[in-house]
């Protein structure tokens, strides 16, 4: 005789871990009180962390990138609505309730929320924030609705095809083309608190830029796609100007001053990102014949069942709910 069927959670939260059990515990603690039956938490990492928080753990191959970790976390999730958040962040009060409300709203297919910078953040952490999340600063104008912050967004399972990775930019683009632009949940706020060294920050900007450019180059079908790498070389000063405006318009009183203080370091990290994006885009165009699908039509996905057809390659379920590569 089989036991009772486990209740399907109203919300699944997938934590993308960078290798620190302390950071994972810090993030889970910031969720506040939650009912296990209504909210499940899944931690995805590339090694066994041994954290103390109440969550299931999925372990992938060493060096697995965040987009691939997301799809593995989604395939382990049981709720129709999945929120991805990185352990470089902590959540403000009311964060979990805001996402629970969003999951109940059938009109929301995907969404993101504000990302603020912790006041005590280091110079490197502040510069990383301005490179990655300035457009999502609380009170930013224009409102970043229609976009997804890489460290903090939610999506319905029906909007994801059986892909190898979930890239927030490609997903947002696909949804906008289908007339299903991501929503902006102003009450679902996180703070960027990562304390990273310069070597890691520089390496990550170069790698993230390369991965972004590679994806663009592989999937760009426009007639002028070969101009992309050339245009990309001139985007750097535009990025700098845009970030300055975003910092000035934030509702927080201190970001502009901090942005100016760490301006040289931010410029260097932006340059590394631009270099990586240019290289990735060039290689992606040259190897477009060997493209592999990453994101499909959101409209087609919403007509599908939403259930993954296979587990990520190389992952098997281990004891205690831990998946091992």
């Amino acid at each position: 005789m089989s036991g009772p069927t486990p209740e399907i959670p109203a919300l699944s939260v997938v934590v993308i871990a960078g290798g620190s059990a302390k950071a994972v515990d810090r993030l889970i603690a910031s969720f506040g009180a939650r009912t296990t039956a209504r909210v499940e938490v899944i931690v995805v990492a590339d090694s066994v962390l041994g954290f103390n928080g109440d969550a299931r753990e999925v372990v992938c191959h060493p060096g697995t990138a965040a987009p691939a970790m997301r799809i593995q976390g989604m395939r382990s999730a049981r709720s129709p609505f999945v929120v991805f958040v990185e352990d470089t962040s902590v959540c403000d009060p009311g964060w979990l309730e805001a996402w629970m409300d969003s999951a109940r709203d059938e009109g929301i297919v995907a969404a993101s929320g504000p990302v603020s910078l912790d006041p005590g953040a280091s110079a490197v952490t502040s510069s990383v924030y301005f490179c990655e999340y300035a457009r999502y600063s609380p009170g930013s104008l224009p409102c970043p609705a229609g976009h997804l912050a890489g460290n903090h967004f939610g999506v319905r399972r029906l909007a994801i095809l059986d892909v190898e990775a979930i890239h927030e930019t490609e997903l947002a683009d696909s949804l906008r083309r289908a007339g299903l632009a991501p929503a902006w949940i102003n009450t679902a706020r996180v703070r960027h608190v990562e304390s990273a060294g310069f070597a890691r920050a520089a390496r990550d900007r170069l790698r993230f830029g390369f991965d972004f450019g590679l994806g663009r180059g592989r999937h760009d079908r426009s007639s002028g796609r070969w101009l992309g790498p050339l245009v990309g070389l001139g985007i750097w000063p535009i990025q700098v100007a845009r970030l300055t405006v975003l910092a000035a318009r934030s509702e927080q009183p201190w970001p502009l001053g901090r942005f100016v203080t760490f301006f040289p370091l931010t410029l260097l990290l932006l340059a590394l990102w631009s270099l990586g994006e240019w290289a990735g885009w060039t290689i992606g165009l040259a190897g477009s014949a060997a493209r592999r699908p990453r994101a499909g039509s959101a409209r087609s996905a919403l007509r599908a069942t939403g259930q993954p057809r296979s587990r990520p390659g190389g992952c098997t379920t281990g004891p205690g709910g831990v998946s091992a590569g």
Side-chain angles (χ1 to χ4, degrees), residues 198-244:
F198 174 76
R200 175 184 167 187
R203 184 175 62 250
D204 285 349
R205 300 290 79 66
L206 193 62
R207 178 167 60 90
F208 295 163
F210 179 85
D211 290 343
F212 178 78
L214 189 66
R216 289 289 189 176
R218 284 176 171 174
H219 296 90
D220 192 349
R221 307 289 202 283
S222 63
S223 58
R225 61 188 181 276
W226 284 99
L227 296 177
L230 298 178
V231 174
L233 293 176
I235 289 178
W236 181 68
I238 298 175
Q239 289 180 313
V240 174
R242 182 176 64 85
L243 291 183
T244 303

Side-chain angles (χ1 to χ4, degrees), residues 10-194:
L11 184 72
S12 294
V13 178
V14 174
V15 175
I16 306 301
S20 167
K22 181 179 179 181
V24 170
D25 286 331
R26 177 187 63 195
L27 174 59
I28 293 177
S30 73
F31 294 164
R34 58 188 171 90
T35 304
T36 304
R38 299 181 63 214
V39 179
E40 68 171 352
V41 178
I42 301 167
V43 176
V44 185
D46 64 357
S47 62
V48 178
L49 297 181
F51 54 86
N52 297 317
D54 180 16
R56 291 190 286 126
E57 186 173 18
V58 171
V59 181
C60 4
H61 296 295
T64 301
M69 286 184 174
R70 291 178 191 138
I71 196 63
Q72 295 189 24
M74 173 165 277
R75 288 171 173 168
S76 298
R78 294 180 293 137
S79 171
F81 198 97
V82 181
V83 176
F84 300 98
V85 61
E86 296 183 3
D87 67 354
T88 56
S89 308
V90 295
C91 302
D92 283 359
W95 180 86
L96 198 58
E97 291 77 8
W99 279 115
M100 291 285 288
D101 291 342
S102 300
R104 286 190 288 265
D105 186 344
E106 295 293 337
I108 296 178
V109 177
S112 200
V115 181
S116 62
L117 176 61
D118 190 76
S122 67
V124 173
T125 297
S126 299
S127 296
V128 169
Y129 171 83
F130 285 116
C131 287
E132 299 281 347
Y133 310 119
R135 76 181 308 165
Y136 305 102
S137 177
S140 291
L141 295 173
C143 175
H147 300 272
L148 297 173
N151 68 338
H152 176 222
F153 67 94
V155 63
R156 294 196 183 276
R157 296 174 62 93
L158 292 178
I160 302 294
L161 290 172
D162 189 19
V163 295
E164 297 175 354
I166 299 175
H167 296 259
E168 69 277 6
T169 304
E170 293 179 16
L171 175 59
D173 287 347
S174 176
L175 290 169
R176 287 196 301 271
R177 288 194 299 269
L180 301 167
W184 180 247
I185 313 300
N186 195 49
T187 52
R189 301 188 173 201
V190 300
R191 281 177 290 127
H192 182 65
V193 297
E194 176 188 26

